[in-house]
Amino acid sequence: MKSDEIRNSYLKYFETKGHKIAPSSSLIPYGDPTLLLTSAGMVQFKPYFTGKAVPPSTRIATCQKCFRTTDIESVGDATHCTFFEMLGNFSFGDYFKKEVIPWAWDYVTEHLKIPRSRLWITIFRDDDEAFEIWRKAGVPRR
């Protein structure tokens, strides 16, 4: 698949799950003096996470343009940077692991057609809840 196809597929998938599609925000965060550049997909939603603003929907999906310098040693040199688009689905008090884990597994295995045998899932060491949800979603224990 081409990047446009992946981007559109992802956003359409989460739209079917009731997400409002939000456009990418600027690489220079608006109204946030704590950041020089947008480095993650959640940057534009900080006011919603902090309670300073009410989101337009409890479910939002985006493809956010991001710029990073923290990993420059891994990807380039002093004259290069890392630019990428981060796909994200966000819940503002609407859903959590029980819903999103099966969606993630469904999206990568059924929509992107990535073979299950080629996927590895990681969880926090003590997150037994997530472990059980991944198992119920069909992820084998390795």
Side-chain angles (χ1 to χ4, degrees), residues 57-73:
S57 175
T58 58
R59 297 178 179 194
I60 298 178
T62 64
C63 179
Q64 175 61 51
K65 294 171 180 68
C66 297
F67 182 92
R68 284 199 180 150
T69 58
T70 56
D71 54 0
I72 197 72
E73 294 82 16

Side-chain angles (χ1 to χ4, degrees), residues 17 59 94-104 133:
K17 302 298 183 195
R59 297 178 179 194
D94 186 33
Y95 64 83
F96 197 47
K97 296 178 221 181
K98 182 178 70 170
E99 295 83 10
V100 79
I101 288 173
W103 292 344
I133 297 168

Side-chain angles (χ1 to χ4, degrees), residues 111-140:
H111 293 267
L112 294 182
K113 304 289 187 203
I114 299 174
R116 296 167 187 248
S117 62
R118 300 203 54 187
L119 296 169
W120 290 80
I121 306 304
T122 60
I123 59 170
F124 287 108
R125 180 182 319 255
D126 299 326
D127 193 344
D128 297 333
E129 178 187 16
F131 178 83
E132 288 304 319
I133 297 168
W134 279 112
R135 297 276 291 142
K136 287 179 186 172
V139 176

Side-chain angles (χ1 to χ4, degrees), residues 27-106:
L27 284 174
I28 301 170
Y30 175 77
D32 189 343
T34 67
L35 294 172
L36 179 61
L37 299 164
T38 298
S39 60
M42 59 77 57
V43 167
Q44 67 177 306
F45 303 122
K46 281 177 62 177
Y48 308 147
F49 287 119
T50 61
K52 292 182 180 177
V54 176
S57 175
T58 58
R59 297 178 179 194
I60 298 178
T62 64
C63 179
Q64 175 61 51
K65 294 171 180 68
C66 297
F67 182 92
R68 284 199 180 150
T69 58
T70 56
D71 54 0
I72 197 72
E73 294 82 16
S74 301
V75 296
D77 54 42
T79 61
H80 295 86
C81 63
T82 305
F83 173 82
F84 60 96
E85 292 180 311
M86 184 178 287
L87 297 170
N89 56 286
F90 301 88
S91 169
F92 301 102
D94 186 33
Y95 64 83
F96 197 47
K97 296 178 221 181
K98 182 178 70 170
E99 295 83 10
V100 79
I101 288 173
W103 292 344
W105 190 245
D106 177 62

